[in-house]
Amino acid sequence: MAKIIACYKWVTDEADIRINSEGSIDFSKAKGKISDYDKNAIEAAMQAAQSIGASAVALTFGTAKAKLSLKDALTRGPAESFWVCSESAEKADGAATAKVLAEAVKKIGDYRLIICAEGASDTYARQVGPRIAARLDLPCITSVRGFEIQGDVITATRKLDNRTEVVKAGLPALISVLPEVNEAPIPGLKAVLDAGKKRSTEFKLQDIGLTDADVAPRTEVRDFKAYIMNRKNIIISADTNADKVKELVANLRKDGVI
Amino acid sequence: MPGIFVYADTVEACASLISAAYGSARGVCALTFDEKRADELGGYGADKVFLLKGDNPMQESYAKAIAALLAKEGPEVFLVGSSTTGREIAAKVAMYLDCGLVGDISSLAFEGGKTITTRYIYGGAAIQTEVLDGYAVVTVPKGKFEARKYEGKTSDVITLKVESDNRVTLKETIPLEKDSKDLGAANIVVCIGMGFDKKEDMKIAEDLGRVLGATIGCTRGIVEERHWLPAGSYIGISGTTVKPSMYISLGVSGQIQHVVGIRDSKIIVAVNSNANAPIFMAADYGIVGDMYEIIPLLTEAIRDVKV
C-alpha cells in the first residue's frame, strides 16, 4: 500500500528544563517527548492516509534515547514506525537531519506524501521540511494550515506573513504543516494497546547509504546558555485592586507608554 | 564579486539586510524580484543588484535558480529575510549547496571570515551561539536591522532571467484579516489568555484595548482550543512575534512558547489570578488578582489619564 510518511523528532521537554542561577541549564530532570508540532504532523498523515486509502507511517532520526518515542508515535495511529538510530543525531543540524530523513524516505519507498511540522519545539529552525524536498527533488508546500488530496493532486492553504495562499501540487510531494492544521487527539487506551502490536524498523546510517562524515553538522555550536530576560519584575502590592491599578497606571505614565 | 548576498521578498526587508551586511568589508549584492524598485537598493548600500525575472508569481519557485546563481558567484554568506517565503528559499538553497543554515537569528556578527550567530532555542528558554565557517545561509527576522540610506550611492542593476519550478501552482491569494496583519507592527498589544471563562468575557479586554488604541492578540489556546479568534491573532513561537511599546497580558499563564513572541516588547504588564504564573517572571509590572475586577478598573483609570 502507498504510504504517507510523517517525520517527527524526539526532543527534550522544555517544561522540565531548570535554569541555574549562574545561567547554566540543568537537563537532569528533563524527559523526552515527541515534538509538540510533530503530533499535528502525525495526525495530518493519519487523516491524509484515510482520505486516499494509503498507510500512514512515522519516521524519526534519533539517538538510542529515541527508542522511547516509537510506541508513543504508534499510539497516535500510524501503522508502522521507522527509526534511524545514530548517536550523530545528538549534534545533527538541519543539513544532517534532512539528509538522513530523505535517505530513509527513499529506503521506505512507495510514498505519496511526506509530512513534516514547520519546526521542532526545541529548535524551531523551520528548515528540515524544505531541505528534504530539495534533496528528493519533490514539490514542496510550507506553512500549511489545511489541505486535501484528490486523486494525485494536493490542494493546500498556506499561511504567509500578510496573506493566505491556496496552492496545488501533484503527488508525491512534501508539506510542512503548522499546528493549526488539525487538533491532535490524545490517544486512548485501545490505541496504546494496539501500538504494542505494530512493527518498528530500525535503520543504521549504513542501511540508508550514509556515513558519519555525511551527517557531520555544518554549523558549530560554540555556546549554549539560559536566556534571562531583563525585566523589572515588579509585583504591585496594594490593598485593593483599585489601588493596584492606580499604581500601575502611575508607573506606565512614568515609563512614557501611556 | 564574492561578498555577502542578500535576498528578501520586500524591498524594505532587503534594505534592512543590506545594512546588516554593510561595512563588513565585503561587498553586498542584493537579489530582488521587484522590478519597479530594484534601483532603490543601491541607495541602501548594495554594491550590486540582481533583478531576477521569471513568470511564476511564487518566489519560492526560484530556489534552485538562486542556488545556481550563488554557486556561480561564490559569496561567503547568504542572508535571507525570514518571511514564510524567505525561509523556504533559504532552506532549499542551503540543501542544494550542502551548507549550514541558521534560522531566525537574534544577533549576527562577521569575524575573520566566520559568521557568528545567536538564536533562541527550547522555545526561548536558552540562547545558542553558532559559528559558521565558510559558506552559509542565515535568515534574519524582519526589522532586526535598521535600513539606512546612503546619499548619492547607486549600483548597477543586472537583470537576470531565472527558471522556476512550476510543480507547485498558485490558485488563489487571500489578504489576511487586517487585525492579524497589524499585530506584528502594533504599538500597544492587549493579549487574551486562557484565564477568560467565556467568549463574551473578551469584551472587557476589547474595551481596554479601545481606550489604549491597542491591537488585540491572544495565546495559541484561544485560537486552537477555544476558536474565539482567527488564527492570525495568536502570539508566540509558531504565531506572530510582537514588539510593541507596551504589551498587556490578561489571564495569560506565560508558557515559554508564548513569551518568546513578546520578548521585544518595551514594557510587559501581566494580570493573572495565579501568583505563580510564569508570565510574572517575564513582566515589568504584575498585578495578582481577579482580572474580571481589575480590567474594568484599568480601563477606567486609563480613560481618566487620557482625557
Side-chain angles (χ1 to χ4, degrees):
Chain A
M1 199 191 290
K3 297 182 191 75
I4 311 266
I5 302 175
C7 300
Y8 73 90
K9 182 177 183 183
W10 185 249
V11 300
T12 298
D13 190 338
E14 68 281 354
D16 301 329
I17 295 173
R18 294 285 166 266
I19 310 282
N20 298 323
S21 53
E22 83 285 9
S24 65
I25 300 174
D26 177 6
F27 288 103
S28 63
K29 304 260 186 323
K31 292 187 279 294
K33 65 171 180 181
I34 290 182
S35 169
D36 300 335
Y37 312 125
D38 292 344
K39 292 172 186 167
N40 301 99
I42 294 172
E43 174 63 14
M46 290 305 296
Q47 293 178 9
Q50 197 167 26
S51 83
I52 63 166
S55 168
V57 304
L59 167 64
T60 193
F61 169 43
T63 65
K65 284 187 229 160
K67 192 176 175 77
L68 287 167
S69 75
L70 303 174
K71 194 170 174 196
D72 187 347
L74 290 171
T75 61
R76 296 172 192 280
E80 195 176 350
S81 74
F82 296 90
W83 167 37
V84 183
C85 175
S86 165
E87 291 316 297
S88 65
E90 186 74 38
K91 286 197 157 58
D93 63 354
T97 304
K99 270 180 218 169
V100 169
L101 293 175
E103 294 309 311
V105 161
K106 278 199 229 165
K107 177 91 180 173
I108 293 165
D110 191 19
Y111 58 88
R112 307 301 296 146
L113 184 65
I114 303 166
I115 305 181
C116 297
E118 258 297 293
S121 50
D122 55 353
T123 56
Y124 209 60
R126 303 181 76 166
Q127 54 173 293
V128 167
R131 273 183 180 269
I132 295 173
R135 176 130 179 149
L136 296 175
D137 195 25
L138 291 173
C140 170
I141 308 174
T142 58
S143 204
V144 170
R145 63 196 295 189
F147 69 95
E148 57 171 33
I149 301 171
Q150 270 176 332
D152 256 352
V153 175
I154 180 165
T155 304
T157 309
R158 307 177 68 209
K159 181 164 112 180
L160 289 96
D161 307 75
N162 60 357
R163 64 192 187 278
T164 300
E165 286 179 353
V166 180
V167 300
K168 275 188 185 201
L171 300 181
L174 179 143
I175 61 172
S176 62
V177 296
L178 290 167
E180 65 211 52
V181 74
N182 56 40
E183 277 176 55
I186 295 164
L189 185 60
K190 184 170 180 308
V192 175
L193 294 173
D194 285 350
K197 300 174 207 139
K198 293 177 182 171
R199 189 168 64 168
S200 287
T201 303
E202 180 184 334
F203 296 134
K204 295 290 181 200
L205 286 180
Q206 63 265 31
D207 298 329
I208 55 170
L210 292 174
T211 63
D212 284 331
D214 292 329
V215 298
R218 294 286 186 266
T219 59
E220 176 206 330
V221 175
R222 176 182 281 183
D223 186 33
F224 174 71
K225 60 175 190 291
Y227 177 78
I228 296 162
M229 198 160 28
N230 204 0
R231 290 283 168 190
K232 297 187 211 248
N233 297 126
I234 298 169
I235 300 293
I236 295 173
S237 55
D239 287 343
T240 66
N241 282 336
D243 287 343
K244 289 179 190 170
V245 165
K246 212 179 282 174
E247 196 178 323
L248 171 63
V249 170
N251 276 304
L252 296 177
R253 292 195 78 181
K254 203 170 66 200
D255 291 336
V257 290
I258 52 172
Chain B
M1 186 204 72
I4 298 175
F5 273 48
V6 305
Y7 158 81
D9 54 10
T10 66
V11 165
E12 285 72 22
C14 200
S16 143
L17 297 181
I18 295 168
S19 100
Y22 195 79
S24 64
R26 317 178 202 187
V28 186
C29 177
L31 309 182
T32 183
F33 287 90
D34 194 327
E35 204 167 337
K36 289 195 192 101
R37 301 181 60 191
D39 56 348
E40 292 176 34
L41 293 168
Y44 285 110
D47 298 298
K48 192 166 163 185
V49 176
F50 280 111
L51 170 63
L52 308 179
K53 282 185 92 164
D55 302 324
N56 194 315
M58 297 180 75
Q59 296 187 12
E60 291 89 341
S61 70
Y62 300 98
K64 202 177 234 174
I66 291 172
L69 174 65
L70 295 173
K72 185 166 145 252
E73 296 285 324
E76 293 150 79
V77 180
F78 182 36
L79 298 183
V80 179
S82 304
S83 60
T84 306
T85 302
R87 283 188 199 99
E88 181 174 334
I89 291 175
K92 286 179 172 171
V93 165
M95 201 62 176
Y96 290 131
L97 301 177
D98 194 13
C99 70
L101 161 60
V102 181
D104 294 306
I105 51 101
S106 68
S107 76
L108 174 67
F110 303 108
E111 283 172 21
K114 294 182 179 178
T115 306
I116 323 278
T117 60
T118 61
R119 73 185 300 267
Y120 297 120
I121 59 170
Y122 291 110
I127 189 156
Q128 179 165 287
T129 306
E130 283 164 89
V131 181
L132 299 153
D133 193 357
Y135 188 66
V137 181
V138 174
T139 70
V140 180
K142 202 160 104 182
K144 190 90 224 165
F145 301 97
E146 204 162 326
R148 282 168 303 192
K149 282 225 175 198
Y150 296 89
E151 210 57 50
K153 194 171 179 337
T154 56
S155 93
D156 291 339
V157 176
I158 299 154
T159 304
L160 203 65
K161 194 144 175 30
V162 281
E163 289 287 320
S164 57
D165 175 348
N166 296 328
R167 292 178 298 174
V168 178
T169 51
L170 181 63
K171 292 292 160 197
E172 197 186 346
T173 301
I174 307 145
L176 269 197
E177 325 83 81
K178 192 173 177 298
D179 278 359
S180 54
K181 197 162 70 182
D182 289 351
L183 187 58
N187 183 42
I188 298 179
V189 171
V190 167
C191 182
I192 293 171
M194 297 291 272
F196 283 84
D197 297 328
K198 295 194 299 293
K199 188 175 179 184
E200 302 80 77
D201 298 346
M202 294 198 300
K203 190 183 170 299
I204 56 171
E206 287 157 7
D207 289 343
L208 173 62
R210 208 166 299 120
V211 299
L212 284 165
T215 304
I216 300 287
C218 65
T219 60
R220 194 176 141 200
I222 294 292
V223 167
E224 282 176 18
E225 288 172 39
R226 306 252 176 99
H227 307 288
W228 289 352
L229 288 170
S233 317
Y234 84 81
I235 297 166
I237 193 164
S238 59
T240 300
T241 299
V242 297
K243 35 188 175 236
S245 64
M246 178 164 66
Y247 160 94
I248 302 183
S249 80
L250 306 171
V252 172
S253 65
Q255 285 181 10
I256 192 77
Q257 290 87 347
H258 176 74
V259 169
V260 75
I262 64 170
R263 266 197 184 147
D264 295 331
S265 308
K266 186 172 160 228
I267 293 289
I268 295 178
V269 178
V271 180
N272 197 301
S273 56
N274 175 7
N276 297 319
I279 190 73
F280 291 120
M281 303 281 289
D284 293 292
Y285 303 107
I287 295 185
V288 179
D290 178 3
M291 65 174 184
Y292 283 95
E293 196 181 315
I294 292 161
I295 297 167
L297 287 169
L298 186 56
T299 305
E300 276 313 306
I302 288 169
R303 188 175 285 140
D304 289 347
V305 301
K306 287 248 170 183
V307 289

